[in-house]
Structure formats: C-alpha cells, structure tokens
Amino acid sequence: MYSKKIKDKNLIYKDNNGVEVEVIINEEPILDVENKQSLKFFLENNKFLDFIIKNIQKEYKRMYYLPNEYNQDFEKLITTYNFKIMTYRVDIPYQNQDRENKLSNIKDKPLWEKYMLKNINELYSKNSQYLENETYREYRKEHLDFMLEKDRCEVLYYNNELVGSICYNLYNEDFIYIRDVYGNSKEIIKEILEMIFSKYKKNITLDIVYMNKELLEIIKELNGKITSVTYAWKRSN
C-alpha cells in the first residue's frame, strides 16, 4: 500500500495515489522539512503518517517535525507517538496598548547576568528533563554576551530591585521578535510585553519553550495565536 525509497540520502515515502512525503536525514530525520504536505493532509491520511512514523521509529533514535502551521487536532495525533513539543512560535497582535514604559538599560551587568542565568536555566533544565535530553548544558555568561551582541536587552526595576528583563530584536520592519522575557510574576511579564507594545506599536513574534506555560497563559490573555510548533521524538530505551 505504501512504499519507501532512498534518494540523495533522504527517505521518500509514497502512498498508492503517488503522493510523496520526504524525510530529510541530517544527524536525525526531519519529517517533511519543506512542508509540502499540510497538517490537514496528515489528519486525513493518518494511516500513511502512521506508516512513516513507525518505520522511522524502528530505525532511528530521534525524529523531528517542524511544520509551519499549527493544528490542535494534529497535536493530539502526533503526541500519541510520543512526540513532545520543543517550542511554540506565537504571534501577538498590537492592540493600542498604552502603558508607561519603565524599562531601562542594564545598570548592573553582573546582577542582570545572575538574574538571567537563574531564570533561563530553571526553565531550560525543566524542558530538558521533559524532552529527555541528556546533552543539555547550563547556559553561561558567554551565552548572554552573544545575546547582547544580537539583541536589545532591557530591564525593569521596582524600588531598585531587578524584577524583570526582556531581550528583543527589530530586524523585521513588521514585528518585534522577542527571544527571552522573564519576570518575578506573571503580572510583571505581561506588563513588560505591554510596555514593548506601547513603545513600538508593532505586533510581537516570539518562540516559547514548552515548559513556559505561564507565558502561554499571558499570550492567551493578549489574544496571541500559536502559528507553529516544533515536535521532537526520542526513543525511550
């Protein structure tokens, strides 16, 4: 009913209607890397998807799928194969927010570094455990130096106490890309995002690691929309 062939070191799966799904073999397989098939196609042809996934899971220890769209029904389907969510890509529309901008430049770099590393490593270590990633290494000061080269990083102080930080990029004229945003509470994170909206009056795009459920709740409150998800599978034994 279904067939598989190897072409240019990639796997080509074909159904009986001649529809092909390509799996790119890098260090680990990546399903349909050019997104030639929609999530709707896989939902309507879940037996074909079942054949592809199970065939790869027999031969490889890891597999990834990076669709450029999001569908909750597809998420329910693919997680039955023990795929887990690595990141969400989210768009949040600007809605005429008018909040006083209290963000400032970093005044005490060592204090900011300590704050960022604490927040980043708490979050990413949880996500690493969830993804069963034994190769996870803690973020260090050198990672922050790279961020400062690429992004604008600002901080929020209350009563001279550092309570939040955000790093973002304006390389795209249409939206603000946020790499990291942290705060001492959910309310502070939301306030920081609203300050950015008020300052630039543009939509926001950001990537969220799976375990950052608090940020996902804030995005929902701000009428944000999940636009794509990165899925990862790892053999458990």
Side-chain angles (χ1 to χ4, degrees), residues 193-207:
L193 291 175
E194 290 178 338
M195 288 176 182
I196 291 294
F197 272 131
S198 299
K199 182 177 181 179
Y200 293 104
K201 301 182 176 8
K202 292 182 179 182
N203 298 337
I204 283 175
T205 292
L206 70 163
D207 291 315

Side-chain angles (χ1 to χ4, degrees), residues 37-50 65 69-81 231:
Q37 307 301 336
S38 67
L39 300 186
K40 182 180 178 183
F41 170 82
F42 286 124
L43 283 168
E44 292 175 348
N45 298 274
N46 55 72
K47 291 183 179 179
F48 187 27
L49 179 68
D50 180 82
Y65 185 28
E69 57 180 319
Y70 178 72
N71 182 298
Q72 196 167 26
D73 290 332
F74 180 81
E75 180 178 308
K76 291 177 182 176
L77 173 61
I78 198 168
T79 51
T80 63
Y81 296 95
Y231 299 101

Side-chain angles (χ1 to χ4, degrees), residues 69-113:
E69 57 180 319
Y70 178 72
N71 182 298
Q72 196 167 26
D73 290 332
F74 180 81
E75 180 178 308
K76 291 177 182 176
L77 173 61
I78 198 168
T79 51
T80 63
Y81 296 95
N82 202 32
F83 276 81
K84 297 181 178 181
I85 299 165
M86 290 183 67
T87 58
Y88 291 96
R89 171 63 65 94
V90 174
D91 290 341
I92 314 175
Y94 168 64
Q95 296 177 319
N96 297 313
Q97 282 91 346
D98 185 17
R99 181 181 283 275
E100 180 186 357
N101 182 22
K102 297 178 181 178
L103 293 168
S104 63
N105 295 327
I106 298 166
K107 299 175 183 177
D108 185 334
K109 189 178 176 185
L111 176 63
W112 176 79
E113 290 171 343

Side-chain angles (χ1 to χ4, degrees), residues 10 14 25 34 54 58 77-79 94-95 144 179 219 230:
N10 297 327
K14 184 182 291 188
I25 306 298
E34 294 184 0
K54 288 182 177 177
K58 285 180 183 178
L77 173 61
I78 198 168
T79 51
Y94 168 64
Q95 296 177 319
L144 300 181
R179 192 183 305 274
I219 286 160
T230 299

